[in-house]
Amino acid sequence: MLKLTFNFPPVAQARPRARRYKRGIILYDLERVHVYKAQLAQSARFMYHGEPLTGALKVTIRFYRAIQKSESKKRHRLKALGAIRPTKKPDLDNYIKSTLDGLNSVLWADDNEIVELHTYKYYSDDPRIEIEVEEINDENK
């Protein structure tokens, strides 16, 4: 099993933007999403030196987002302990999309190799992303 921790806050995938050119339309990510994906890939390359994994993969991701500074001490403590979980935007699926795309060709050949995915969203004083990747033995090969 491969376990990696990225010590920066997660960034959710935003709707792609479009720009019209003489030869057609080009789609692109917002700058903050683009920077997040690049930072994720670079950090993963630094921590993982193997070839991208192929075959059936099980992935677990825990997203830890910052606790708002305006919270009372009581609510801050409850959020830090996990008693209060994030139910506001950004959506969990947008965190997933940007993270899986950012790790394509680094941890796995393509995110279509992932057949099982477990994701969680928490508050923390230490925003980060924790990822576990496990190869699933497929007996039908």
Side-chain angles (χ1 to χ4, degrees):
M1 179 183 296
L2 174 64
K3 294 182 181 184
L4 300 174
T5 299
F6 301 91
N7 292 310
F8 47 85
V11 174
Q13 179 70 45
R15 291 191 184 276
R17 302 300 190 248
R19 186 172 287 154
R20 186 178 299 216
Y21 289 96
K22 291 179 184 177
R23 297 183 185 189
I25 296 174
I26 189 167
L27 296 175
Y28 62 95
D29 282 331
L30 291 177
E31 181 68 18
R32 64 182 169 84
V33 177
H34 178 75
V35 168
Y36 171 72
K37 289 179 181 181
Q39 183 181 21
L40 202 57
Q42 182 180 13
S43 297
R45 282 187 199 98
F46 180 76
M47 292 185 273
Y48 176 70
H49 302 288
E51 290 294 316
L53 301 172
T54 58
L57 301 174
K58 174 184 173 183
V59 176
T60 302
I61 308 174
R62 290 175 186 84
F63 297 102
Y64 294 87
R65 52 183 288 188
I67 301 172
Q68 300 88 337
K69 297 192 185 308
S70 62
E71 288 291 359
S72 69
K73 288 182 182 180
K74 180 181 177 182
R75 284 188 55 85
H76 184 101
R77 186 174 49 78
L78 290 172
K79 286 182 174 187
L81 293 172
I84 297 176
R85 302 270 297 270
T87 57
K88 306 282 186 214
K89 291 189 180 235
D91 299 347
L92 185 59
D93 61 322
N94 292 327
Y95 278 146
I96 294 166
K97 181 71 176 147
S98 62
T99 302
L100 295 184
D101 286 351
L103 295 171
N104 275 341
S105 302
V106 180
L107 292 187
W108 40 74
D110 194 283
D111 55 1
N112 64 8
E113 309 267 358
I114 299 169
V115 298
E116 190 174 335
L117 180 64
H118 302 271
T119 57
Y120 308 88
K121 189 166 69 165
Y122 299 99
Y123 286 114
S124 176
D125 288 320
D126 179 27
R128 64 192 182 280
I129 305 109
E130 296 176 352
I131 297 181
E132 297 173 7
V133 183
E134 185 177 348
E135 293 178 283
I136 297 176
N137 294 330
D138 189 1
E139 297 176 6
N140 297 326
K141 282 187 177 180

